[in-house]
Amino acid sequence: MTEDILSATGLVRRFAGVTAVDDVDLSVRTGEILGLIGPNGAGKTTLVNLVTGFDRPDTGRVFLDGHDITRLSAAQRSRRGLVRTFQGARIFGRLTVRENLVVSALPRLGSRRRAESRADELLEYGEVTALRMTPGERLSAGTQRIVGLLRAVAAQPSALLIDEPAAGLNEVESDQLSRLLSAISENMEIGMMIIEHDMKVIMSLCHRVQVLNHGRTIAVGSPDEIRRDPAVLTAYLGSSSGNAHA
Amino acid sequence: MSLRTRRSALTVSATTALLLLAACGSPGAGGASPSGATAFVIGYAGGLSGMLEGFEKPALEAAKMAVEDINRDGGLNGKRVELITQDTKSDIDQGGPAGQALLAKGAGALLVTADYNFGGGAARAAQAAGVVAVSVGAGSPKFGVQGIGPLAFTMGTSGAGDGALTAEWAYEKRAARSAYVLLDDTTDYNKDQCRGFQTRWRELGGVLAGQDTFKNGDASISPQITRMKSLPKTPDVIAFCSYAPGGAVALGQLRSAGIDSLILTNSGMDGTYWFEKSMPELSGVALPVSASVWGDDPAEEVRRFVERYKEKTGSQPQNMYPVLAYAAVQAIVQAAKESGSTKGADMAEAMNKFTDKQLLIPVSFTKDTHIDVRRPARMLVLDQGKWKTDGLRSLKKAPPLFAE
Amino acid sequence: MQYLIDVLSQGSLYALCALGIALTFGVMRLINFAHGEFMMVGGYVLVVAGDIPVWAALLSSVIIVGFLAVATERIAFRPVRNADPETMLVTSFAVSFLLQSLAVLLFGSLGRSVRVFPPSITGVMHIGGLNIRWLDIITVAVTVTLLVSLMAFMKTRHGVELRAAAENFTVARLLGVKANQVIGTAFAISGVFAAATSIVLAAQRGLVEPTFGTTTMLFAFIAVIVGGMGSLPGAVLGAYALGLISVTSQALLPLGLRQFRDAFIFLVVVLILLLRPEGILRGHAARVRI
Ligand SMILES: Nc1ncnc2c1ncn2[C@@H]1O[C@H](COP(=O)(O)OP(=O)(O)OP(=O)(O)O)[C@@H](O)[C@H]1O
Ligand SMILES: [Mg+2]
């Protein structure tokens, strides 16, 4: 039986007027990819912020590998192996692709030499070895996204949260990214959570899917279960048709 | 002569920071509290901290000596003379408030910074209050009737006069015929000096080989040196209108570039502090002063004063400002004595009549001219790192005080 | 040709100073007005060092100023690290003022003369009609040496971390770059550059006074802005551009206009900024943070 690498219980976050996250539980196991979906404004980004320490919950707790990390800062959490990527790639434009990965690998590996060989490994993995000496700012948006992901992986996280990795990517790039994500999941001891609007990506990649609506979890299950869940259909239909009904 | 404004040096960082401290520091009024009707109070408004400190503190020491001496000799018609101080923190904008603070404490006359800009604020406050203000050595003719007002006087001499004097001296005593004019255009005094020099030099028939400008804050005057070096012949003299620190920097660079022309400058370059380590054997710099502090002033009183000053403070004065400050206190007290009044208008009236008035140095004013244009100058000449006095000189023909 | 040497020499001086400023701006978004005072302290170290051997004087200047820079960061800048830029700016003014006041207190406001290098290397060489000062050679050599060292450093572990932090401090921290360490490193290097600038400047000026570093620092600031805030290559480029502009305007402007030289320099700077608002090399400061 595998332990949850990352979990959260009873997370609540209220903003003036809205309860963006309302009593949400969450669990991710090592080797698993959890998809987080929901209509616009459902509270996905807020939830990721709460889990990664970019925002504080009003109530509820977050655990990493069984330890309560609710009170730790984002930087402290990332040092303990909880790493996120951002909606924009935010790689270092002035650093080469390889250096981007080296910076990330350094704290864990200590020596520069080991960080470099780790970076080279990952570059190969992501099929971007040819670009290793290119400054980040010269890459296309899609490649930047891939490098951003590799950089996060270079930190050897035990849990990785990925916010909208495929947004704005073309078909080819999106496929490349999906391949990379599943390869990472298969080959590393890592639990992943992905926010994504592209259902194709979610359904092909995720082992489990959690659906948020109005800050609440309305369904959790396998992609097939979710596809057929009436509550999910209502939520998506309601929001996409624009006339919400009780 | 004047302590040239150091506007370029006191740039953003210093001035803004000064304001910061001014906001939290307490007004530093020093000296004994005035005893009203029984004493005549002279207020000293100057930069007792900050960038002018090096000029003002020695001047204040000398003013104190003058007050002591006067009181020992019976004061002002039996009244004690007292000196109170107000620090302007070397900030132009603090001049006015400092003057007002002193006047509020009952000052019957003000001594102010030896510069038109830094001393002007306090002097204007005095003028407005009907009180006489004497600058320790501003070199601007505007420090008087034509500028601040009829109650403002300066112990200094004018830039135009100083420049003309060096022209006459170099032409006649050093048989110099070709000159280069190098102007640090950061102050009006410098411009006056170069203008006075050029006017007289032309009248005398000297050749002007070229001219150039620089700024006091310049770290390097290489382009100016390059231009000067392209002359077919090194000029005999360089009219060098600047002041330390920037002047010292530029002068050092001229010398290390191998330009050995005689340098004609002003009291802003007096002192040994700016070259003693960097160019210990420096020679060939000449400047006119109202008093030499290097032990060989022609006037015995000045030599004695300098000795006493050294004894009292334990340090060698670096320029004539202590001498001027001492004379300024004498002038104020003398004016009150002669007019039999401590009202500003009466004292000014008496000072207007000073003609070669024998104070520590001779002082002359007229109704229209509140800057001394008669005082004989001492030419200081730097020789192997030592300042030597090359006799007394009076101007044969004065250039116009104001640029037209 | 002679002017070209002047440009190189002056540009190098500005570059040394500008790099120190750009380094701390990069990691902290701090416009450190106390940088000129770091230089001033370096100058006074040389004054006090007096007759000890040149190398020892230079070394003590570098060590003391480097230490001072790091200490200043600890004591003054760390507490306001997350404050708004204005607060940091005011703090740097306060530090600058404090150091200047201290200098006035200890050494007086008149200034002290100083001889950095022995007379044998302060003279002029005549090579093919050119007058080359030893000092120009030293200035350029020091700049090139430090520039190459800095470039080499930037490839090392701490260098990569520094560059990452300079570009996006928040993300760098998330990736495990230690904020205190990287800022401390930036200040230490900045201090070394300040010391190097002060050595060249003291040799060139022969005089150290409380406002010793102010003018050079202001020009270096302009170089940093022209080059693109926070970009190190930009700072160097900006410095040489400024050297070129100031030497040529001094050399080419007719006498009557020469007194407006600085106004002219600023005019050119404004024109450059109008054409390229983010500087010659775009600095990342202009981009979005986070
Ligand atoms: N800082 C904030 N202050 C106030 N309200 C906020 C804040 N952040 C989010 N919200 C609100 O909380 C709700 C959830 O927002 P959130 O960004 O988490 O949704 P999301 O699921 O990520 O949406 P999207 O799919 O559009 O990215 C929204 O109603 C949003 O307006
Ligand atoms: Mg979102």
Side-chain angles (χ1 to χ4, degrees), chain C residues 64-125:
Chain C
I64 290 173
V65 178
F67 181 80
L68 172 74
V70 172
T72 306
E73 190 275 316
R74 274 280 162 85
I75 297 163
F77 294 132
R78 191 169 294 184
V80 296
R81 189 184 288 168
N82 297 316
D84 50 314
E86 292 77 26
T87 311
M88 294 209 284
L89 195 68
V90 169
T91 308
S92 83
F93 274 134
V95 172
S96 155
F97 179 72
L98 195 82
L99 290 173
Q100 275 191 11
S101 306
L102 208 66
V104 171
L105 212 66
L106 291 176
F107 302 102
S109 72
L110 277 187
R112 300 276 193 93
S113 57
V114 64
R115 164 170 276 169
V116 183
F117 300 110
S120 55
I121 54 168
T122 46
V124 189
M125 280 189 300

Side-chain angles (χ1 to χ4, degrees), chain A residues 15 18 20 39-46 164 197:
Chain A
F15 295 113
V18 243
N40 286 327
K44 304 181 294 290
T45 298
T46 307
E164 304 213 25
H197 281 291

Side-chain angles (χ1 to χ4, degrees), chain A residues 51-121:
Chain A
V51 171
T52 50
F54 279 77
D55 192 6
R56 293 298 151 113
D58 295 314
T59 54
R61 303 209 283 165
V62 183
F63 300 89
L64 181 67
D65 206 9
H67 300 286
D68 189 338
I69 55 166
T70 317
R71 308 199 150 274
L72 300 187
S73 72
Q76 286 168 323
R77 288 179 206 206
S78 93
R79 236 169 280 148
R80 295 191 179 205
L82 172 59
V83 171
R84 75 177 287 183
T85 67
F86 296 87
Q87 269 180 279
R90 284 194 213 155
I91 63 169
F92 301 113
R94 297 264 177 75
L95 271 57
T96 63
V97 167
R98 189 176 189 233
E99 284 171 337
N100 264 280
L101 270 58
V102 166
V103 169
S104 176
L106 265 172
R108 266 293 159 88
L109 297 176
S111 101
R112 179 177 157 77
R113 217 154 30 83
R114 265 179 291 171
E116 277 174 355
S117 63
R118 174 82 183 139
D120 290 340
E121 249 173 69

